[in-house]
Amino acid sequence: MAEMQAEIVHRHEAPKAFIWKYIFSLDHKVIGIQYYLLALFSVFVGLTLSILMRIHLVWPQASIPLLDKVSPLGAPGGVISPEYYLSLLTLHGTIMVFFVLTTAPQGGFGNYFLPLQIGAEDMAFPRLNMLSFWTTFAGLAVLMATFFIHDGPPIGGWTSYPPLSAVGGAAGPGMAVGETLWVVSIAIFCVASMLGAINFIATTLDLRARGLSLMKLPLTCWAWFLTAILGLLSFAVLLAAGVLLLLDRTGGTSFFIPGGLLVSDKPILHSGGSPLLWQHLFWFFGHPEVYIAILPGMGVTSHVLSTFARKPIFGYRAMVYAMSAIGVLGFCVWGHHMFVSGMSPYSAFAFSVLTMAIAIPSAIKTFNWIGTLLGAKIRFSTPMLFSIGFVSLFVTGGLSGIFLGQPPLDIYFHDTYFVLAHFHMIMGVASIFGIFTATYFWFPKMFGRMMNETLGKIHFWITFVGVYAIFMPMHYLGLEGNPRRYAEFIDNFLLPLMSVHRFISIAAFITGAAQLIFLFNLIWSLFKGKKATENPWEATTLEWTVPSPPPFDNFAGKHPVIYHGAYEFSVPGAEKDYIMQNSPEEVAADH
Amino acid sequence: MASTVLTPTKPAKAGKPGGSGRGSGGFGPGGSGGGGGWEGYRVPSRTYRLGMWFGLGGIVMLFAAFTSAMVVRRGMSFDWASIAVPRILWLNTGVLLASSLTLELSRRALARRSATQFNRWLYATLVLGLAFLGGQLVAWRELASRGVYLATNPSSSFFYVLTAAHGLHLAGGIIALGYVVFRAGSMVRGLTRRTPLDVAAIYWHFMDGLWIYIFFLLTRWS
Amino acid sequence: MALAVALVVVIITLLSGYFFWAHTWWFPIDISKHGGAIDRQFTLTLIITGIIFVLAQLALAYAVWRYRDRGDGRKARYSHGNNKLEATWTIAATVLFIGLTLMGYHIWAGIHFVGAAPGAMRVEVWGQQFAWYFRYPGPDGQFGPVHIGDKYDPATGKYIDDNKVDDATGNYLGLDRDHDAASKDDIVTATLAVPVNQQVELILRSKDVTHSFFVRELRLKQDLVPGMEIPIHFTATKTGRFEIACAELCGLGHYKMRAFFEVMTEPDYQKWLQNMAAAQ
């Protein structure tokens, strides 16, 4: 019966018209690439903003060419003003968190490879998929518009705490129209992410190939699936918070604005709202968001480590359980962002214990990654280098969380550079390393050409050493109590730290410039790269059973049947050192 | 896991895990397979229903967030003044409940392939849905005439936010039913699947239940 | 390549660790009664995480170098993991991490679960964009009411002009010294001065947006949330002049929102307070 069904062939051709093929495409692969390009654009904008910030911090008087054209008000004569620094900071955070770390791993690679890895012809709801992308695009467009309004982007930070974010233009430049656009952009993004999440969940649960039980899924698919659940539940809460904030700003309500405020000598006509309410709602989203950014990176790292170690992943089930535990616990720890916020100190302690609990599955994952390498036969291709880098960064970034998760220590470290170091290491850079891993690993499948290995390795070395050079010293700044989000350093205790800041800035310039190598490699390889075979990495999962790039209907109308787990490498007695998931090969193995 | 024998799992057996094997005829892109492009791409009805259930999960979180905001905002403030909800809400509630009933009647009619009954109840549902939205507008007008606006008091703020959020969602349901009306003919003749109706019905009944919850919240807690 | 990766990981690990080890950059002196416990908890955490950090990175480096593909036809070990090991490190991580946070319990409890002693000196700390003001209750021990912004009247739903803030006359907190008896002797300053070895309770309030009171040497940080009065207490143990920084993004001048914090001997403090009272 199954064999007969597998014979039924329905081939589908791609639409011919350009607009349906590339713009409003329903093909998950095209949509995946669209998401990736959106994230690629965003990441270079976000990177540029961070470079500008690093310039301003160490050379506040530097005149940056062309910048006064973009913002005559914020950067008169190209010199970044303190308030423009905050605009850059706000947009850097927002762009990176939402439009890079949330979109590239999930919307980009998830869209492209989830259906391929589970043997489906497409996502469950292609139209919904297209809608999610274009909604995301609209969100980005609205956010980018803040650059071009009179007083520039908002200065409230990506966390947008009220009352600063709620009382309008009195709170500072960019807090009138700019902040409203920010809220609208985020609300749009929430809707887009929820629509996308529904698709991922239904696809994973319902469209798996015959034989592909959940415990045979590649860990990448598990990661996308769990990320989708987190996204669905958490973005809904941010959407609600965004709606309420928007009403506070434009409808005269007082959800987050208390009474009796005087901002810039202007009485604020609101009463009784709670600034902490926003923080609770925001971090109820914000903490799962951290895992939304990192889970796909964990998935792809596990996947790539196993593939290039030529060894099954160590503790597959433990990995699945750990990721699930992280997902569940991720909803119970939001209060650790609020230890010094004025929240009840009793609940702070409860949040602290839960936060430490979430370190446990994270530790399990780390040990399993190292366990995967023990007894391996490692091939050092660029994707492997980046996933090794991921593990190293994950350890470093994770351990600083042990400090921050303890309320008595957080009293000192809260909102210092120690926090910056922590979340950039783990949520920023580690996740970005996951994206790089995925790019180098799947580029051949997506575009039919290999990326240049030499350029890839140069990119890896500069980036790996560079991010440590940037973010490790931030821990030391944190020890010295250097507060974050300072546009300039005028406190006496901050002056001796300028040399550290200069070091960080220079490291940032070099590391930032190295990303151009990546961009060049991406474009060059697209046209001149070596032709990729069907399975250049000798991997086991289904996407490597179809041509590179895959045909429009993925499996040419056939329905793959799965016989093996995702990580059957170096099976004793097997013909090759890997067994494809859909290979009917029967091998007796001694453990 | 002392010793493993790697046997290719029998596909028929392994199709089950997660209850997601495609047991029925809906194996992958079933149906016509005709032509190019997307006409032939179809996932089983159950996948649509599954997607809808998860979508509702997102909506639950949205309203849970509103609710918790309301509980917190009310609990900590001195300025909360309860508002008397407009009486027409009782009528609206009845209308919405009736619409769920008529929707079920239309689904049964479709199962019987009774075109006239199907259409009649479907239109009745649409009309009741629109009547509910109209009734909600009347309720807003009544509050406004009493001088109770969005920003008048936190309780009125939540009243407007919750009713508007629900109304928007219900309007989405009306659009979905409109699509069903558009496809009604071919559904009755069995030319297209009844999936859109079934999925819209899940959504509609959920909106009904959600309204009961919101109504309870507004009358008892606000 | 394997050697290079291993070496770089080792070098980064040792270099990163060295600066913690050498205290090249470190906490400032501790001048509070509770700070010593925080510093000890930090050191303990640093030792534990430091060991894990070094071991994990070195294990990674070792595995990468030792198990490189040597082209000798050896196959990788076929193993799906080891449940015993899995259980071991799960339990180890649980004990370590949860244990650490429980050990810090008494510090947090000491700061937050018990209020200030009845005899503690009380000072209000006010944050506004981008300045700090401190209010001492004066001889009556009472803080008078503040008149900031407009007042909402729940009965009518209207706002009543209640603003008496006037920067020109130095009435930063909107005190009505003519009508409010308790306000008469209130002392408002731009510097926070406290006597040494005496418990102080700060009441944190904000006029506009959220700020955060941060004195590094006190090991103390607490947000000032508009609409809330957040109490926090400490005892300073050393005299000296320190800086107060704002640690919560509060707008364009966030970086320059600072003030001085002075710990004085009791006589010095009394003298200072009298001077301040005279200047009101």
Side-chain angles (χ1 to χ4, degrees), chain C residues 232-244:
Chain C
I232 186 91
H233 58 85
F234 66 89
T235 306
T237 54
K238 292 188 179 72
T239 55
R241 189 172 153 96
F242 311 97
E243 284 173 297
I244 300 166

Side-chain angles (χ1 to χ4, degrees), chain A residues 180-347:
Chain A
T180 302
L181 289 177
W182 184 92
V183 184
V184 170
S185 162
I186 294 312
I188 294 174
F189 188 87
C190 290
V191 174
S193 298
M194 289 170 71
L195 295 179
I198 294 168
N199 223 338
F200 274 82
I201 296 168
T203 305
T204 313
L205 287 180
D206 248 21
L207 299 189
R208 279 173 289 129
R210 192 160 283 255
L212 186 56
S213 63
L214 285 173
M215 282 300 165
K216 283 200 176 72
L217 275 181
L219 287 170
T220 40
C221 297
W222 265 108
W224 291 318
F225 175 60
L226 292 168
T227 302
I229 294 177
L230 290 184
L232 180 68
L233 302 181
S234 65
F235 276 109
V237 175
L238 182 63
L239 178 60
V243 167
L244 299 183
L245 182 59
L246 199 61
L247 289 173
D248 267 7
R249 296 178 51 78
T250 57
T253 57
S254 302
F255 296 110
F256 305 125
I257 312 175
L261 299 192
L262 191 67
V263 182
S264 306
D265 293 328
K266 200 178 133 221
I268 300 298
L269 298 187
H270 288 270
S271 144
S274 163
L276 288 191
L277 175 57
W278 165 269
Q279 295 185 25
H280 279 292
L281 292 172
F282 183 86
W283 289 116
F284 188 87
F285 145 79
H287 203 79
E289 167 61 30
V290 174
Y291 297 107
I292 289 170
I294 194 82
L295 275 175
M298 292 175 166
V300 77
T301 297
S302 311
H303 195 78
V304 166
L305 278 180
S306 174
T307 304
F308 289 85
R310 316 307 295 165
K311 193 165 166 281
I313 191 81
F314 193 97
Y316 175 92
R317 274 173 190 271
M319 289 301 231
V320 172
Y321 298 147
M323 281 201 283
S324 310
I326 287 173
V328 173
L329 285 171
F331 280 106
C332 313
V333 299
W334 79 89
H336 69 218
H337 298 265
M338 299 170 62
F339 287 153
V340 302
S341 70
M343 174 183 73
S344 152
Y346 299 97
S347 61

Side-chain angles (χ1 to χ4, degrees), chain B residues 22 32 37 39 47 69 92 99 108 110 121 129 152 187 203 207:
Chain B
R22 295 193 194 88
S32 65
E39 297 313 308
T47 308
N92 293 351
S99 77
R108 289 194 185 171
L110 180 62
W121 293 122
T152 304
M187 261 185 222
Y203 184 76
M207 280 305 131

Side-chain angles (χ1 to χ4, degrees), chain A residues 2-3 5-6 10-15 25-28 119-127 194 198 201-214 216 225 229 232-234 236-241 243-244 247 251-257 271-274 277 281 284 317 331 552 559-565 568 571 579 583-591, chain B residues 1-66 68-73 76-79 149-154 156-161 165 169:
Chain A
E3 287 72 16
Q5 285 207 338
H10 297 299
R11 293 233 47 179
H12 301 124
E13 307 291 330
S25 172
L26 298 174
D27 179 358
H28 70 100
E121 194 181 342
D122 204 296
M123 295 290 268
F125 316 118
R127 279 179 188 79
M194 289 170 71
I198 294 168
I201 296 168
T203 305
T204 313
L205 287 180
D206 248 21
L207 299 189
R208 279 173 289 129
R210 192 160 283 255
L212 186 56
S213 63
L214 285 173
K216 283 200 176 72
F225 175 60
I229 294 177
L232 180 68
L233 302 181
S234 65
V237 175
L238 182 63
L239 178 60
V243 167
L244 299 183
L247 289 173
T253 57
S254 302
F255 296 110
F256 305 125
I257 312 175
S271 144
S274 163
L277 175 57
L281 292 172
F284 188 87
R317 274 173 190 271
F331 280 106
F552 174 70
H559 302 295
V561 180
I562 302 301
Y563 297 95
H564 301 284
E568 292 301 337
V571 183
I579 299 175
S583 157
E585 187 177 358
E586 189 166 335
V587 189
D590 273 327
H591 181 61
Chain B
M1 216 190 278
S3 124
T4 324
V5 178
L6 260 193
T7 317
T9 322
K10 288 283 175 291
K13 215 168 73 188
K16 278 180 217 151
S20 54
R22 295 193 194 88
S24 62
F27 186 73
S32 65
W38 292 90
E39 297 313 308
Y41 183 73
R42 255 187 180 186
V43 292
S45 288
R46 39 166 281 132
T47 308
Y48 283 97
R49 290 199 295 272
L50 188 76
M52 177 50 74
W53 280 113
F54 276 95
L56 296 181
I59 295 175
V60 165
M61 287 305 285
L62 179 74
F63 283 89
F66 282 136
S68 61
M70 182 168 160
V71 170
V72 170
R73 179 67 178 80
M76 58 164 297
S77 64
F78 66 95
D79 58 349
Y149 299 98
L150 174 69
T152 304
N153 190 274
S156 70
S157 300
F158 278 104
F159 181 92
Y160 282 102
V161 167
H169 279 87

